[in-house]
Amino acid sequence: MASKKIVLLISNPQAYIYHVGAEEKKFAAEMNHLYESISHIYIPLLNMFSSLEKDGVPCKIALVLSPVLCTLLKDPVVQQQYIAWLDGKIALGKSELERCSGDAAMCDVVKFHLEKAQEDRFCFTAVYGQDLIKRFSEYQKKGYVELLATCGTNIFLPHYADMGEVLNAQIETGLYAHRSFFGDRASGFWLPEMGYMPGIERVMHTYGVDYTVLDARSFLFSDPLVERGIFAPVCCGSDIAAFARDNRIDEEVFGEKGYAASSAYCDVNRDIAFELSAELLEPFFRGSTSRYASGYQYYSKSGRRNGKDSLYDPVRAAERCEADAASFFDKKLNVLVRAEDLLPSSPVLSHICVFSSEQFLQWHESIAWLEHVYRYAAGKPASFAFFEDILVSQMQLQSLQPYCSAAIGAGYGETLVANKNNRIVRHARKASERMIDLAERFPDDTGLKARLLNLSARELMLAQSCTWAKMIWDGTFPEYAEARFTESLAAFINVFESLGANTVSTEWLTSYEAKHPIFPWINYRIFSKKR
């Protein structure tokens, strides 16, 4: 009988959105995404680990905490901004209790959200000391978390597959950042948007990566044909191991008829921030002209009943979570049982379930559901595992060449080069060519020139992020995405032209170095040709 293993992984395609001073209020809506992620994903995950640890429930989960996310979570300015955001949310909740004082049922829902905001503030400040990265690292050491490294920014690597220097720079930066944040080497490497093209595995292997995760298409269209489908890792040539995610999970969990669509769950699209007057929302927005989610969502997804909107019932939602968690795990177990019938000679069968933090943000109860999955699975004939556990248990891996694929668009990243956003990759590639040239022309410079070159490398990496193209395609703050890309590209061009003219504006350089405090240790020579 084969051993049945399930791997759960949560990835994070966080954009580098950082503003201070007057810009903080101007771009409050764009910055709100990070604060929501902290409140709805990262603090609840840590709380989940604590709860499961207290009750002795086994838990193993793989996480991708990107360099961008870690930089933002570690920044003292961002930490204070988040606390101020929570304070505004708490103030709004108290004013909402007064406004809804005549409706007891509505007040119960307001109290639920208010208490959640108060708990988040207490956990962030008193329990976790504002340092979530440190806590994730501690749970990694305890065996609850497997951390995968990823690129410096959310770059779509297949767009640069012919530029080995770019692949080296992004992968090297990601691995160095991972070590600086967590203190150890990462065995696994997450390809942003799961973008894969033959040859990328050789670069990862050069940097000591042991395994990565690909879309199911990479396995199903491989050469030669994969022998055990998506239920066992393979060897990419003779380089690294690769696991295949089950790409049906998206529809099963987040589709129109998926678990997240249950009528019992909170309708996150019915936020009071978009329904009440600016005057009533002042405690939260504090003079901001933009509107963005406050987290006060009073209605369930069941829609209108008897001419009235159905209020959200946290108790009913919790019951639904428990049932859906059991259903999800049973389905995964059944898949592995069927695979065992078809692959009787396999000693270990694995099922890889990948979730994005973007998906979890659209499901208010997502982490509560996840905790119920672990609680239900305790003692069942399939267990949760790390990727490393599965690799150790494999006697021999099939060697094959995976097919190119991605977890965006229809499976090949085509939405990143559509009519309305294709200038992003075009200009980023040209800037990449120039950066490689600069690294060759100035191999040993120091002082101001080195600072300029380091700045150009940092801004290029920010411009290479495919998150800007995604935001334009999705219609999520497209003007901001366009402006941020243009800003980083303009900074790079300014450096390029300054070096060509042999002139340096120290005032501009100093101010721009402080504008984006990410990768302070970056060395432009990472874009040099490897010899």
Side-chain angles (χ1 to χ4, degrees):
M1 181 179 291
S3 176
K4 304 173 185 66
K5 303 293 183 182
I6 299 173
V7 179
L8 301 184
L9 180 148
I10 302 177
S11 67
N12 177 278
Q14 178 69 44
Y16 185 73
I17 299 177
Y18 180 87
H19 298 284
V20 297
E23 285 192 344
E24 181 185 349
K25 185 173 292 185
K26 180 180 178 182
F27 298 109
E30 290 82 355
M31 297 167 67
N32 192 59
H33 178 274
L34 174 64
Y35 307 146
E36 287 187 302
S37 297
I38 296 172
S39 280
H40 295 296
I41 299 175
Y42 302 112
I43 288 177
L45 272 175
L46 290 172
N47 291 343
M48 181 186 81
F49 297 149
S50 177
S51 175
L52 295 177
E53 181 181 30
K54 179 182 177 182
D55 295 339
V57 177
C59 173
K60 288 191 174 186
I61 189 169
L63 296 178
V64 181
L65 303 178
S66 69
V68 167
L69 175 66
C70 291
T71 299
L72 292 173
L73 292 180
K74 275 283 192 181
D75 192 292
V77 174
V78 174
Q79 292 169 1
Q80 291 305 312
Q81 289 174 338
Y82 174 63
I83 293 172
W85 179 83
L86 285 174
D87 288 340
K89 190 171 179 178
I90 291 169
L92 177 61
K94 291 178 179 178
S95 69
E96 278 293 281
L97 281 179
E98 294 180 11
R99 185 181 71 86
C100 302
S101 58
D103 188 334
M106 182 71 81
C107 277
D108 287 342
V109 184
V110 176
K111 286 178 183 177
F112 171 79
H113 291 299
L114 173 58
E115 289 170 0
K116 171 69 167 67
Q118 291 170 329
E119 181 188 8
D120 288 343
R121 196 187 195 287
F122 175 77
C123 288
F124 186 70
T125 56
V127 179
Y128 303 127
Q130 303 181 34
D131 193 347
L132 303 185
I133 297 302
K134 177 183 177 182
R135 297 297 180 163
F136 279 114
S137 182
E138 290 173 355
Y139 278 109
Q140 178 193 27
K141 292 180 175 66
K142 290 180 179 180
Y144 283 70
V145 176
E146 180 179 28
L147 294 173
L148 280 70
T150 187
C151 292
T153 58
N154 198 46
I155 184 174
F156 190 68
L157 290 177
H159 287 165
Y160 303 87
D162 59 329
M163 295 182 176
E165 297 81 6
V166 173
L167 303 185
N168 288 331
Q170 282 280 357
I171 292 173
E172 184 174 326
T173 299
L175 290 170
Y176 185 90
H178 184 91
R179 183 181 290 273
S180 68
F181 284 119
F182 299 106
D184 62 359
R185 165 186 171 272
S187 298
F189 196 88
W190 174 259
L191 299 173
E193 308 299 338
M194 298 184 73
Y196 170 78
M197 201 167 184
I200 292 176
E201 69 274 12
R202 289 193 288 275
V203 181
M204 290 190 286
H205 178 67
T206 300
Y207 286 97
V209 172
D210 295 329
Y211 65 88
T212 189
V213 185
L214 306 179
D215 186 78
R217 295 174 184 82
S218 287
F219 277 43
L220 301 181
F221 301 142
S222 65
D223 182 24
L225 292 176
V226 66
E227 296 171 354
R228 289 186 283 176
I230 63 173
F231 300 103
V234 300
C235 184
C236 299
S238 58
D239 296 319
I240 66 173
F243 293 82
R245 71 141 183 174
D246 185 346
N247 53 16
R248 299 169 296 183
I249 296 294
D250 288 349
E251 184 64 24
E252 181 181 335
V253 179
F254 302 100
E256 289 185 8
K257 297 182 179 180
Y259 296 117
S262 171
S263 61
Y265 294 139
C266 184
D267 186 351
V268 297
N269 296 316
R270 289 287 309 277
D271 195 294
I272 63 169
F274 306 108
E275 298 180 353
L276 299 184
S277 67
E279 182 181 358
L280 293 172
L281 295 166
E282 177 58 27
F284 181 66
F285 288 120
R286 293 168 293 159
S288 174
T289 56
S290 302
R291 291 209 176 201
Y292 45 90
S294 68
Y296 285 90
Q297 297 129 3
Y298 299 156
Y299 303 103
S300 68
K301 295 182 178 180
S302 58
R304 297 178 68 85
R305 291 181 179 177
N306 301 320
K308 293 180 62 178
D309 290 319
S310 298
L311 285 177
Y312 176 60
D313 183 351
V315 175
R316 179 170 171 251
E319 293 171 350
R320 185 71 259 167
C321 263
E322 193 170 355
D324 286 344
S327 173
F328 173 81
F329 185 85
D330 286 341
K331 285 183 178 179
K332 301 309 105 189
L333 179 58
N334 289 338
V335 167
L336 289 171
V337 168
R338 292 200 299 271
E340 184 179 35
D341 292 338
L342 297 172
L343 304 166
S345 60
S346 299
V348 179
L349 293 171
S350 57
H351 196 188
I352 315 302
C353 305
V354 175
F355 307 100
S356 167
S357 61
E358 302 290 323
Q359 296 170 318
F360 272 12
L361 269 184
Q362 297 303 309
W363 185 10
H364 185 275
E365 299 81 5
S366 55
I367 304 301
W369 168 82
L370 189 63
E371 181 173 344
H372 282 300
V373 170
Y374 284 107
R375 291 186 179 278
Y376 178 79
K380 297 294 189 298
S383 60
F384 292 102
F386 292 149
F387 293 104
E388 290 180 323
D389 299 337
I390 297 171
L391 282 181
V392 169
S393 65
Q394 297 291 323
M395 298 298 293
Q396 187 174 4
L397 302 183
Q398 180 188 4
S399 182
L400 53 77
Q401 178 59 70
Y403 193 69
C404 55
S405 66
I408 190 171
Y412 304 99
E414 67 281 359
T415 55
L416 299 175
V417 286
N419 287 338
K420 58 183 178 181
N421 62 5
N422 60 19
R423 90 173 190 93
I424 299 287
V425 67
R426 188 169 70 249
H427 289 297
R429 278 182 58 88
K430 184 61 179 179
S432 300
E433 292 173 1
R434 290 179 170 180
M435 185 68 237
I436 295 168
D437 179 59
L438 288 176
E440 290 296 302
R441 285 166 51 199
F442 304 98
D444 302 310
D445 278 86
T446 57
L448 285 177
K449 274 190 177 179
R451 286 172 59 190
L452 270 176
L453 288 161
N454 290 340
L455 176 67
S456 67
R458 182 191 76 185
E459 293 301 317
L460 174 59
M461 294 187 76
L462 292 176
Q464 287 172 339
S465 174
C466 69
T467 305
W468 313 125
K470 276 182 64 180
M471 291 171 69
I472 295 171
W473 172 259
D474 295 337
T476 306
F477 304 116
E479 296 84 3
Y480 177 84
E482 185 81 30
R484 278 290 289 105
F485 170 77
T486 301
E487 178 189 328
S488 287
L489 191 67
F492 173 84
I493 293 173
N494 192 19
V495 172
F496 184 78
E497 292 178 345
S498 295
L499 291 170
N502 201 28
T503 60
V504 178
S505 170
T506 54
E507 181 180 355
W508 177 86
L509 173 60
T510 301
S511 64
Y512 219 91
E513 283 176 328
K515 188 176 180 65
H516 297 147
I518 185 173
F519 309 141
W521 34 258
I522 198 168
N523 188 318
Y524 70 93
R525 296 174 184 86
I526 57 175
F527 282 97
S528 300
K529 296 180 183 296
K530 295 291 186 286
R531 291 177 172 82

